[in-house]
Amino acid sequence: MTAPGNSNASPRPGMRDLLARKRLIAAPGVFDMISVRIAARMGFDCLYMTGYGTVASYLGLPDAGLATYTDMVNRVGAFCSAAPMPVICDGDTGYGGLLNVAHTVRGYERAGASVIQLEDQEFPKKCGHTPGRRVIPTEDMVKKIRVAVEARQSRDFLILARTDARTTLGLDEALRRAEAYARAGADILFVESPESEKELETIGKTFDLPLLVNVVETGRTPVLPADTLEQMGFSIAIYPAIGFLAAGKALEDAYSHLKANRSSLGIGDRLYDFPRFNTLMDFESVWEFDKRHAS
């Protein structure tokens, strides 16, 4: 029996091992500790720490370069401590220049991330699938990737290189950038915001490295079945918004019911069962601890 808050979980499996299975990994977006606990209990192979959702939940702000390295590495440590599976963690632009990138990579690795995502946007960055994103020169991002590879302590900590060039500069430029990032040592490639099935097919057949696709409901990229994405050549499909969009809708519905009725009567099974939620938050360990140490 461990004290409340401590974990006796087995070591986290490796992301390389998951990728070696050659089966599409569907990773839900997690954005706070409740979403992490629910996703972890459901047994997903991998989780994705969404920058958009994490910044919104933690700071109540848009994902527009307002969160600092300190803000985000704090969340990485908290999320990874509660997840027995690999967690892909959004590292934005690395929070500065090359020295900042090295510091960020080391910090995320120490905090328990299995993969760090670095993107080629100008600072301040903006969330993918939103307008106005601008990218830095390719050679500057190549340097960031090389520094990231050099800074990591373990080869099992993977570098995910994302390019946002598609939206403003076109698919051909995005593909050229992704190829350059692969040569720089990236382990996984992420071409953000392709806008058609044809573009997804093109990305899938262009690279030999593991590929990630970002699935945002009502976003720029078509939402396709897992089998289709797998056949196209993608290794990971992240669903960053599904959790916070679901939570937002559920909260709006519940609060609307309370506002209209001044009571929760009649809300029925739209709420998580309270005893079950106690189990989710591991209150049993608290009660057992109290019993063992009662005077």
Side-chain angles (χ1 to χ4, degrees):
M1 169 66 190
T2 57
N6 290 345
S7 172
N8 57 3
S10 58
R12 184 176 285 109
M15 193 68 190
R16 288 191 188 277
D17 294 335
L18 289 179
L19 291 170
R21 297 177 187 176
K22 303 296 183 181
R23 183 173 183 271
L24 184 78
I25 301 165
V30 293
F31 57 94
D32 65 3
M33 290 301 291
I34 295 174
S35 64
V36 171
R37 283 186 172 271
I38 291 174
R41 285 174 66 89
M42 295 183 73
F44 283 95
D45 289 329
C46 173
L47 307 181
Y48 178 76
M49 188 191 90
T50 159
Y52 186 118
T54 300
V55 174
S57 174
Y58 190 51
L59 299 176
L61 295 171
D63 183 20
L66 300 173
T68 66
Y69 162 76
T70 302
D71 291 326
M72 296 302 281
V73 77
N74 172 293
R75 297 291 80 201
V76 171
F79 292 3
C80 293
S81 70
M85 63 282 292
V87 185
I88 301 170
C89 295
D90 188 352
D92 291 336
T93 62
Y95 306 104
L98 297 181
L99 188 62
N100 301 84
V101 170
H103 181 66
T104 297
V105 167
R106 295 189 189 108
Y108 271 45
E109 186 174 8
R110 285 194 302 269
S114 295
V115 182
I116 185 171
Q117 173 188 304
L118 297 170
E119 59 201 53
D120 61 1
Q121 286 194 55
E122 289 183 355
F123 183 85
K125 56 78 52 102
K126 294 181 175 65
C127 176
H129 291 252
T130 62
R133 286 170 290 135
R134 296 168 59 90
V135 291
I136 62 176
T138 303
E139 55 270 25
D140 290 350
M141 183 62 176
V142 164
K143 291 177 183 177
K144 286 190 175 186
I145 298 300
R146 288 174 177 162
V147 165
V149 171
E150 178 184 277
R152 65 181 172 187
Q153 298 300 299
S154 171
R155 184 176 172 275
D156 291 327
F157 179 69
L158 304 187
I159 309 301
L160 165 58
R162 164 176 150 178
T163 178
D164 283 71
R166 161 63 189 94
T167 301
T168 53
L169 301 177
L171 183 62
D172 288 344
E173 174 62 15
L175 296 176
R176 281 192 289 270
R177 284 170 173 259
E179 179 61 38
Y181 305 160
R183 291 195 300 269
D187 301 292
I188 306 170
L189 299 176
F190 174 7
V191 177
E192 175 65 298
S193 303
E195 298 187 2
S196 67
E197 290 190 38
K198 180 63 176 175
E199 290 191 1
L200 286 166
E201 290 173 355
T202 299
I203 295 166
K205 68 184 181 184
T206 300
F207 304 101
D208 292 330
L209 283 181
L211 298 173
L212 181 147
V213 59
N214 183 16
V215 184
V216 178
E217 296 75 16
T218 69
R220 291 176 176 268
T221 302
V223 179
L224 301 175
D227 288 346
T228 301
L229 292 171
E230 187 174 288
Q231 290 164 9
M232 285 177 170
F234 290 94
S235 300
I236 307 168
I238 58 170
Y239 295 80
I242 193 170
F244 63 76
L245 292 179
K249 181 64 168 64
L251 286 169
E252 187 175 76
D253 288 349
Y255 292 164
S256 295
H257 181 96
L258 181 60
K259 179 67 165 57
N261 298 283
R262 293 182 296 161
S263 171
S264 61
L265 288 171
I267 203 165
D269 61 1
R270 286 181 286 170
L271 299 183
Y272 209 105
D273 181 73
F274 187 64
R276 186 166 164 244
F277 204 88
N278 287 337
T279 298
L280 173 69
M281 301 312 297
D282 196 25
F283 263 94
E284 283 89 346
S285 68
V286 176
W287 300 328
E288 177 63 24
F289 182 87
D290 288 344
K291 286 179 184 178
R292 293 181 63 209
H293 295 280
S295 57

